[in-house]
Amino acid sequence: MSGGSKVKNKIIKAIKKKENLAKYNIDIKISGDKIVYLKGEVDKWQDVVDIGHIVAKVKGVVNVVNDISAKGIKIVKKDNTEKIKKTIEQGKVMRTDVVIIGAGISGCAIARELSKYDLNIVVLEKNSDVAEEATKANNGNIHPGLLATPGTLKAKLNLEGNKMYTNLSKELNFEFKRPGSMYISYNKKDWRKFKALKRVKKTKVGYLIKPLRQIMRTPGLKWLTPEQVKELEPNIKGNPVGGFLMSTMGLVEPYEVCVALAENAVQNDVTFRFNTEVLDITTQDCVATGVITNESIIKCNYVINCAGIYADDIAEMAGDRFFTIHPRRGAIAIIDKSRKGFLNRPAGGSLETKKKGSHTKGGGASVTPEGNLLWGPTATEVPDKEDKSVEAADMEYITKLGRSITDEVSKSEIITFFSGLRAPDYKEDFIIGMSKKIKGFINVAGIQSPGLASAPAIAKMVGRIIIKDIGDIQIKDSYNPIRPPKVKFRNLSHEEQDELIKQNPKYGNIICRCELITEGEILDAIHSLVPATTIDAVKRRTRAGMGRCQGGFCGPRTLEILSRELGKEPTDITLKGSNSYILDRKSR
Amino acid sequence: MDIVVIGGGPAGLAAAIEAKKHNVKEVMIIERDIELGGILQQCIHDGFGLHRFGKRLSGCEYAENFIEGVESEEDIIVKLKTIVIEITKDKTIYAMNEEEGMMEIHSKAIILAMGCRERTRSQVFIWGTRPSGVLTAGTVQRYINMEGYLPGKKAVILGSGDIGLIMARRMTLEGIKVEGVYEVMDSPGGLTRNISQCLKDYNIPMHLSTTVVKIHGNKKLEGVTIAQVDKDKKPIKGTEKYIECDLLVLAVGLIPENELSRQMEINIDPRTKGPIVDENFMTSIEGVFAAGNVVTVFDLVDYVSETGEIAARGAAKYLKGDLDLSSDYQDIIPGDNVNFIVPQKIRKQNLEDKLPIYFRVKQPLKKVTVVGEIEGQKCLKKKHVVVLPPEMIVEEIDCEKIKDKNEMLKISVKVG
Amino acid sequence: MCKEFTCIVCPVSCTLNVSKEGEEIIVKGNNCKRGKVFGENEYKSPKRILTTTVKVEESCHKALPVISSDEIPKEKMFECVEQLYKMTVKAPIKKGEIIIKNILNTGVDIVASRSLKQI
């Protein structure tokens, strides 16, 4: 690796500028294609991340591979050699056209998009179901795209994707609302400055200014008087001085969207393989030839890397490691449904707690399409790719933010909390494109917020990449973009409910009392095109277990139904795949 | 229907039988499970019915006494596997089951007897991950006693209420190692008898002022971190200890199941989390009564049955038009050391000669006097050697003594 | 040997210290006669009611709750449970029906805690 000494000097200077980072000796190497490789040791994890960010911001740096370690934190890299050997020995080989690694929102959206074409497509997922990682653990906001830094790929795809959701929700029959989101100001001085941005051409202040100016000039943005703010959101506290409405903000249940995409993909002949982990990627003469999983070798022409948190590891397997994913945990709390309707749309205020230079929206109060109040998310850099815990500090932050505009609601009304790991690279933007080194290997990495909103646009972009590469390909005659709607018993009128039970008595047996979910719906989930085989998978598809008793009542009943329908012993049923058994053994 | 009872557990069963005793014509019980008995069917341990039957019966034995009573009454309509999903303010009940679909049932009076549910891990803010192996005590009880399955090999129990203690014994007998019982308060939550026979008998240690602060394990529970707490129940740094286990049993409290009550916009008491009830256990909606754990969590099933009977008698009177429904209520309010009282209000005209009141103290106290005061005069004075929060106190007010008083009645527990 | 028990006869829950001197059992810490009797019994031969479940067939339930007709010696509890594990009963069962008569020669029966219909 050579050169870029000018860039290297800039990098050294940038790091030295920070008082707490200047003391470190960081080994910096720059490749010909302007990828910076960092090595060294620092005191804490936040320093690793800060250095990565500083370097990524230096002009001329294309991306950062950050191998700096933090004292006392050992990141164990998986050694797949033995497992790979075993698969090769077993000798099972399959052939397909496209392999998609990861069945999160990106992987499922791409699978559905590509299923239009005459291609054999296989999606490989190491967990037991779709949407088991970040896709299920976010706040379901379909962002307007106006707060993302203009000029970034994520801003572009966000704006595009946001528009596509209306149509997509009709085709796939998932719950989608577009209530818009509200920005509320409580500070007269700030508010005047804000409004002045509308006219300002030049500015040199703050990170938020560029996107804010963009918002100010967006048609369809509605400026609100304090009275209007209160009219639209009568339950927010205090005396707002003004606000504005970003009317394109939408709301979904993210796992519902992911399941819908996956099912439609299966309708159009895509194959999903769960509990299938990619151990290696085979290449020949810089062309991707296939993947090796824990089950078999799959030969293919295209490998699409949608592996989220592990996207950098997958890229490394392909021989093209040019970015590093640093997990950023986001914790969320859901409030009891007795507060349904408390807020009509996501709302955030001019909050003193918002940190300058923070990379993600710190949160506020949001709302699910079902109307439940949602607090969070937080943003904490963590070294461990499996660290999905929620800590006391998370809850403190979430509660502070949530109560900054909804004073009445107390912490005691929280029915559940959980976290997910965002998968950003150090440039904090999406990496979507055919690898420059390995032909046929397509990266869809660094997908963090607004990944959900961008998903349909990401899928279209990847579709174009493949079509361009293949050259001539037809849309299948049999392609059916419509996924039939699912039965949602709780949303029907009593007459409709009666009709439904008469047609199929299984809809007359309520399993989840809190959310009013019937056995019929659970059976639908277990026998769907992407079958639910775990308690959580049933929960994601039906909502059973999402209510205030958190599965206390319905859990054993759902387990019994799964055991019966899958023909498995109750002791073999898991909560979320792998070894997460609910029951240990039979009583003697 | 004349009376529809929602829930066929001990409160509902007692209510239905009592209603029939008072010649109410059309009585129906709606029960969501496959059989009557409610939670008692999974309570195979003894200790039930000492007051009512003079014996320590198992939960199922107690239930069967009442179920026999209901089944012998040809006129009590029982709908099993039927769940009520909505009750409108004008007492129209929407209930459904597989055979009959959605039913619209009109009833002149309703007795809510839905019981209670368990507090979850999120409500007690235990940090960490969300693996399998974290179950509430009632769910563990169901798996072991009714399904015949054991959910783990080595368990930690959080909460020293009776259900936690009972499960400590049950799990031990079934071969699950119980590492210990952890209690965040500085005094145990369950009956002394249970601490003796469920923990001491099996050398299971109980740790007071200690709680579980974190859950570890990605897919499956690997262990928990426990820590001692200070007087504000905040974990004390440096006292953390990691305990390897594959089952965390949460016995962290019961909450009255008031989804339907809230839907009907019945007034709820924030202290009990159940409907505010009067001397007949009638709620803020005329003709809608509530009994058992849905009103407040009782520790003795005998009292649950008693309240079912009070509600049924009240409903029978209501049907006949014998209840005063118009005069002002007098409140019964908790005084010193009293956490809450049920009933919360009374109409003197409806009282008979004795008014039972049910309440709990806030902390354990020795050598106390329960005092009832109204308009500066004592209408109740009863000494107790020891009172404990887990043991509900039941007293009877002599209604003669309050007949001519119009202000509120205050119940206090004074030391000495 | 001195043993400590919590008396469970009444809510006062005295802490009893019971020891044996020669042939005599000495109970200390009790506030009443009943406590003395309790302490003596606990020392000599502690007994408990046993409640557990037995496998059942031809019923909608998989387990039949059972209860001992009287208290059985504490030290025989686990052995009794082992015996019950070996059994499987068949519905219909009537509450009170004897499942095992005179279990382990204790003079106590194990009876059904509830009735179960045959399916």
Side-chain angles (χ1 to χ4, degrees):
Chain A
M1 277 177 259
S2 66
S5 52
K6 220 167 140 195
V7 178
K8 189 167 175 179
N9 285 335
K10 277 198 199 151
I11 292 171
I12 297 173
K13 217 169 140 194
I15 299 175
K16 292 275 182 244
K17 241 191 189 167
K18 290 279 168 174
E19 215 183 301
N20 59 322
L21 303 173
K23 59 183 176 180
Y24 297 126
N25 247 329
I26 305 296
D27 182 75
I28 304 167
K29 288 198 171 59
I30 308 182
S31 68
D33 44 0
K34 306 281 183 47
I35 307 293
V36 180
Y37 295 81
L38 301 171
K39 272 202 175 83
E41 197 190 62
V42 298
D43 293 332
K44 47 190 170 84
W45 182 255
Q46 190 60 47
D47 291 348
V48 173
V49 175
D50 288 344
I51 292 174
H53 278 137
I54 290 169
V55 174
K57 283 209 181 79
V58 170
K59 203 168 172 196
V61 169
V62 168
N63 217 317
V64 176
V65 173
N66 190 344
D67 284 331
I68 300 172
S69 59
K71 267 204 191 94
I73 295 179
K74 196 161 184 237
I75 299 184
V76 179
K77 257 234 159 117
K78 278 200 206 166
D79 182 8
N80 293 325
T81 340
E82 281 309 309
K83 289 192 200 158
I84 295 170
K85 234 165 111 186
K86 202 168 162 210
T87 303
I88 297 176
E89 273 165 20
Q90 277 171 358
K92 197 165 160 207
V93 182
M94 293 195 279
R95 249 226 137 266
T96 191
D97 296 321
V98 180
V99 164
I100 298 174
I101 304 176
I105 194 74
S106 307
C108 291
I110 293 168
R112 189 245 183 183
E113 177 65 24
L114 295 180
S115 72
K116 281 193 181 104
Y117 305 103
D118 207 354
L119 291 167
N120 282 317
I121 304 161
V122 176
V123 181
L124 304 175
E125 169 55 54
K126 76 176 198 307
N127 289 318
S128 60
D129 191 23
V130 301
E132 278 222 24
E133 300 288 339
T135 300
K136 72 169 187 234
N138 59 76
N139 62 10
N141 283 0
I142 304 301
H143 296 293
L146 304 173
L147 276 175
T149 315
T152 56
L153 180 59
K154 63 185 180 184
K156 173 166 175 269
L157 293 176
N158 186 169
L159 282 165
E160 229 182 274
N162 178 295
K163 288 196 194 103
M164 295 167 75
Y165 259 88
T166 310
N167 206 37
L168 193 67
S169 68
K170 292 201 182 102
E171 286 180 339
L172 298 180
N173 283 296
F174 59 78
E175 190 77 39
F176 174 65
K177 294 202 159 78
R178 220 189 259 279
S181 67
M182 190 188 287
Y183 178 90
I184 304 164
S185 180
Y186 288 99
N187 186 315
K188 273 211 169 87
K189 208 165 123 193
D190 275 352
W191 188 235
R192 271 198 298 260
K193 274 198 222 158
F194 232 77
K195 293 186 90 171
L197 284 171
K198 228 180 169 178
R199 302 179 293 272
V200 164
K201 290 207 170 81
K202 270 201 213 146
T203 178
K204 54 175 160 73
V205 183
Y207 78 103
L208 207 50
I209 295 303
K210 251 189 180 168
L212 282 178
R213 260 197 313 155
Q214 179 175 265
I215 301 174
M216 303 305 128
R217 300 198 208 125
T218 306
L221 181 81
K222 206 173 166 217
W223 290 87
L224 305 167
T225 63
E227 293 74 35
Q228 284 171 321
V229 170
K230 277 289 201 167
E231 202 189 326
L232 286 168
E233 294 297 344
N235 290 317
I236 58 156
K237 76 170 184 188
N239 298 306
V241 298
F244 59 81
L245 195 64
M246 285 183 277
S247 51
T248 56
M249 166 75 100
L251 297 172
V252 295
E253 304 244 344
Y255 34 83
E256 189 189 5
V257 179
C258 196
V259 168
L261 287 162
E263 286 181 356
N264 191 227
V266 172
Q267 270 177 273
N268 293 299
D269 305 318
V270 172
T271 306
F272 278 78
R273 289 194 184 282
F274 296 104
N275 300 306
T276 305
E277 188 184 349
V278 170
L279 304 170
D280 204 5
I281 296 181
T282 58
T283 60
Q284 187 162 22
D285 301 326
C286 294
V287 177
T289 55
V291 304
I292 301 179
T293 76
N294 54 323
E295 290 194 337
S296 68
I297 299 169
I298 306 179
K299 294 194 194 280
C300 61
N301 301 324
Y302 296 97
V303 176
I304 308 180
N305 177 11
C306 302
I309 277 284
Y310 291 100
D312 52 354
D313 296 318
I314 297 289
E316 187 174 356
M317 286 178 200
D320 189 15
R321 184 177 181 234
F322 64 92
F323 59 91
T324 298
I325 304 290
H326 56 104
R328 189 159 56 231
R329 198 176 66 203
I332 285 174
I334 306 278
I335 308 292
D336 189 287
K337 69 179 178 185
S338 56
R339 288 291 187 182
K340 250 187 213 187
F342 193 82
L343 272 191
N344 295 314
R345 60 186 54 73
S350 53
L351 312 159
E352 338 82 79
T353 47
K354 224 185 200 141
K355 286 200 288 238
K356 253 205 175 144
S358 67
H359 284 278
T360 191
K361 300 168 265 309
S366 187
V367 178
T368 69
E370 292 261 330
N372 289 334
L373 207 54
L374 183 157
W375 285 352
T378 59
T380 316
E381 298 283 342
V382 296
D384 182 358
K385 284 185 176 179
E386 293 294 320
D387 182 1
K388 282 170 267 191
S389 65
V390 176
E391 305 293 337
D394 292 319
M395 192 52 63
E396 244 182 81
Y397 186 70
I398 288 173
T399 313
K400 202 165 162 191
L401 286 184
R403 284 173 60 79
S404 65
I405 55 166
T406 60
D407 218 353
E408 252 178 73
V409 181
S410 81
K411 198 171 141 193
S412 65
E413 297 178 62
I414 292 175
I415 60 168
T416 188
F417 48 82
F418 50 85
S419 73
L421 295 167
R422 302 175 182 83
D425 70 337
Y426 281 102
K427 287 291 247 184
E428 300 290 336
D429 195 6
F430 295 166
I431 299 172
I432 303 176
M434 182 90 78
S435 161
K436 294 197 178 79
K437 286 206 176 112
I438 308 292
K439 206 171 155 345
F441 183 74
I442 300 168
N443 283 304
V444 182
I447 310 298
Q448 53 165 321
S449 174
L452 177 64
S454 310
I458 292 175
K460 278 242 148 25
M461 182 172 168
V462 173
R464 284 193 296 269
I465 293 172
I466 294 212
I467 301 313
K468 187 170 170 207
D469 199 64
I470 292 180
D472 183 25
I473 187 151
Q474 302 298 328
I475 293 188
K476 292 198 295 230
D477 281 332
S478 61
Y479 177 65
N480 178 8
I482 312 291
R483 179 188 84 135
K486 300 279 173 179
V487 170
K488 287 187 185 175
F489 185 86
R490 63 195 179 280
N491 293 340
L492 303 174
S493 71
H494 291 314
E495 289 78 36
E496 289 168 327
Q497 288 170 333
D498 189 47
E499 246 323 296
L500 189 61
I501 298 171
K502 300 257 157 66
Q503 278 173 40
N504 181 351
K506 288 296 177 195
Y507 289 110
N509 186 13
I510 295 274
I511 300 294
C512 167
R513 199 265 162 277
C514 301
E515 297 291 305
L516 232 48
I517 311 297
T518 63
E519 182 176 354
E521 290 161 273
I522 294 178
L523 292 172
D524 291 340
I526 296 173
H527 298 291
S528 67
L529 291 175
V530 183
T533 57
T534 66
I535 301 276
D536 273 4
V538 169
K539 180 168 98 165
R540 266 190 289 281
R541 287 159 181 67
T542 64
R543 287 193 65 79
M546 286 194 184
R548 56 171 74 111
C549 87
Q550 288 290 293
F553 176 71
C554 62
R557 289 161 177 79
T558 305
L559 190 148
E560 196 186 336
I561 296 172
L562 276 166
S563 159
R564 184 188 77 209
E565 296 295 314
L566 299 175
K568 280 186 174 168
E569 284 299 317
T571 44
D572 288 333
I573 302 297
T574 64
L575 179 68
K576 42 171 99 174
S578 178
N579 66 337
S580 64
Y581 301 107
I582 315 275
L583 300 173
D584 183 65
R585 61 198 188 279
K586 244 188 165 153
S587 161
R588 284 172 304 148
Chain B
M1 286 288 126
D2 289 325
I3 297 181
V4 170
V5 179
I6 318 263
L13 292 170
I17 294 172
E18 186 74 1
K20 270 296 165 191
K21 271 208 190 116
H22 289 262
N23 300 313
V24 175
K25 273 232 176 91
E26 297 167 332
V27 178
M28 177 191 281
I29 301 177
I30 302 181
E31 166 56 50
R32 71 184 175 186
D33 212 331
I34 58 173
E35 59 186 353
L36 293 170
I39 202 71
L40 288 177
Q41 295 295 19
Q42 63 182 63
C43 296
I44 67 163
H45 53 283
D46 68 312
F48 298 85
L50 191 57
H51 290 241
R52 184 168 276 251
F53 298 112
K55 297 202 291 180
R56 288 185 198 282
L57 303 171
S58 68
C60 12
E61 278 177 323
Y62 185 98
E64 192 151 328
N65 288 351
F66 285 86
I67 295 172
E68 273 166 12
V70 165
E71 284 175 351
S72 64
E73 273 298 336
E74 285 155 16
D75 287 346
I76 299 181
I77 302 172
V78 176
K79 287 203 182 293
L80 297 172
K81 284 185 85 173
T82 306
I83 197 162
V84 173
I85 65 167
E86 188 190 342
I87 308 179
T88 62
K89 278 190 228 170
D90 67 346
K91 292 180 256 175
T92 304
I93 299 166
Y94 289 95
M96 54 179 272
N97 62 39
E98 287 186 13
E99 283 86 32
E100 298 171 274
M102 183 65 65
M103 299 171 276
E104 203 181 285
I105 302 169
H106 298 270
S107 188
K108 300 198 187 100
I110 297 176
I111 301 180
L112 303 172
M114 295 91 69
C116 59
R117 64 187 152 84
E118 298 183 276
R119 203 171 253 126
T120 67
R121 168 257 177 107
S122 304
Q123 290 170 290
V124 288
F125 297 103
I126 304 176
W127 311 122
T129 50
R130 309 209 304 166
S132 68
V134 179
L135 296 172
T136 55
T139 306
V140 175
Q141 189 181 54
R142 191 191 165 85
Y143 277 131
I144 297 180
N145 292 346
M146 304 202 84
E147 316 272 339
Y149 285 95
L150 307 177
K153 292 188 171 69
K154 186 172 173 217
V156 162
I157 300 178
L158 178 62
S160 66
D162 287 318
I163 179 70
L165 303 175
I166 296 289
M167 287 320 294
R169 176 176 64 189
R170 185 80 184 109
M171 291 196 288
T172 305
L173 278 177
E174 287 285 319
I176 299 176
K177 170 119 182 67
V178 178
E179 190 276 344
V181 172
Y182 294 84
E183 169 56 57
V184 73
M185 304 299 261
D186 54 12
S187 60
L191 303 169
T192 313
R193 181 193 185 80
N194 287 331
I195 294 167
S196 185
Q197 300 204 333
C198 300
L199 301 188
K200 292 212 174 111
D201 271 8
Y202 300 96
N203 291 321
I204 298 171
M206 175 161 63
H207 307 271
L208 297 173
S209 298
T210 314
T211 193
V212 173
V213 291
K214 195 164 174 183
I215 291 173
H216 305 265
N218 228 327
K219 304 267 187 200
K220 190 170 153 66
L221 181 69
E222 284 163 19
V224 297
T225 300
I226 55 109
Q228 282 164 35
V229 298
D230 59 24
K231 56 180 174 58
D232 297 319
K233 310 288 172 276
K234 297 269 179 308
I236 301 171
K237 247 197 160 141
T239 65
E240 296 95 353
K241 200 175 119 186
Y242 180 76
I243 302 174
E244 212 180 283
C245 58
D246 65 352
L247 178 61
L248 173 62
V249 182
L250 300 172
V252 292
L254 299 171
I255 309 170
E257 182 59 88
N258 275 295
E259 178 68 33
L260 289 173
S261 323
R262 278 193 243 186
Q263 228 186 55
M264 296 168 77
E265 291 178 27
I266 285 174
N267 292 340
I268 306 278
D269 181 344
R271 282 177 293 224
T272 59
K273 309 265 189 288
I276 294 174
V277 294
D278 68 12
E279 69 286 340
N280 285 303
F281 278 72
M282 191 170 83
T283 69
S284 56
I285 296 184
E286 259 180 40
V288 178
F289 300 76
N293 284 349
V294 83
V295 177
T296 183
V297 178
F298 290 82
D299 31 79
L300 294 183
V301 73
D302 314 63
Y303 299 142
V304 164
S305 303
E306 202 173 283
T307 60
E309 286 158 353
I310 296 173
R313 285 197 292 271
K317 280 195 202 162
Y318 168 78
L319 291 171
K320 283 199 222 134
D322 287 347
L323 280 188
D324 166 17
L325 296 170
S326 56
S327 45
D328 286 340
Y329 273 120
Q330 279 165 263
D331 289 329
I332 304 182
I333 60 165
D336 288 339
N337 289 314
V338 175
N339 209 341
F340 65 82
I341 307 175
V342 163
Q344 291 92 335
K345 36 173 49 160
I346 49 172
R347 277 190 177 119
K348 279 204 307 274
Q349 270 76 329
N350 294 327
L351 292 176
E352 286 167 10
D353 36 300
K354 295 262 189 271
L355 167 71
I357 55 168
Y358 307 84
F359 56 97
R360 288 188 196 275
V361 288
K362 290 181 180 169
Q363 52 177 321
L365 294 167
K366 285 201 167 116
K367 296 204 169 85
V368 299
T369 310
V370 172
V371 174
E373 283 166 305
I374 184 164
E375 286 179 14
Q377 296 211 317
K378 284 200 175 63
C379 58
L380 173 71
K381 192 172 167 188
K382 186 89 178 291
K383 281 198 193 295
H384 288 263
V385 181
V386 94
V387 288
L388 303 164
E391 292 175 33
M392 186 180 262
I393 305 169
V394 182
E395 301 287 10
E396 273 185 341
I397 307 272
D398 184 353
C399 297
E400 271 298 311
K401 297 197 173 141
I402 60 174
K403 197 164 68 156
D404 53 343
K405 310 269 190 298
N406 298 310
E407 302 296 310
M408 63 188 181
L409 166 62
K410 189 197 248 181
I411 309 291
S412 319
V413 171
K414 299 203 199 271
V415 181
Chain C
M1 189 172 68
C2 185
K3 287 190 192 165
E4 193 184 277
F5 307 117
T6 306
C7 182
I8 56 174
V9 178
C10 85
V12 181
S13 308
C14 300
T15 306
L16 305 175
N17 277 301
V18 190
S19 52
K20 197 165 182 190
E21 272 162 41
E23 286 304 312
E24 216 191 321
I25 294 176
I26 314 280
V27 177
K28 290 200 185 112
N30 58 307
N31 268 315
C32 74
K33 265 203 191 117
R34 289 193 297 166
K36 181 166 179 286
V37 173
F38 176 82
E40 285 168 355
N41 286 331
E42 270 301 285
Y43 191 90
K44 277 189 298 191
S45 53
K47 290 186 176 174
R48 301 283 185 264
I49 296 275
L50 172 65
T51 56
T52 183
T53 52
V54 170
K55 279 194 288 285
V56 61
E57 288 173 348
E58 294 185 30
S59 157
C60 59
H61 288 307
K62 301 177 197 95
L64 168 73
V66 295
I67 188 169
S68 57
S69 58
D70 202 345
E71 292 183 321
I72 60 171
K74 194 169 127 185
E75 68 269 15
K76 290 209 169 165
M77 292 275 269
F78 279 102
E79 212 186 319
C80 285
V81 172
E82 288 295 317
Q83 256 230 297
L84 289 163
Y85 278 147
K86 299 191 186 125
M87 295 191 69
T88 306
V89 295
K90 249 192 217 174
I93 306 269
K94 194 98 199 17
K95 177 174 83 127
E97 195 179 304
I98 297 176
I99 305 297
I100 294 185
K101 192 147 182 65
N102 187 13
I103 189 165
L104 295 178
N105 248 325
T106 54
V108 176
D109 303 329
I110 303 293
V111 305
S113 221
R114 62 167 293 176
S115 307
L116 280 180
K117 296 196 185 85
Q118 185 180 32
I119 51 157

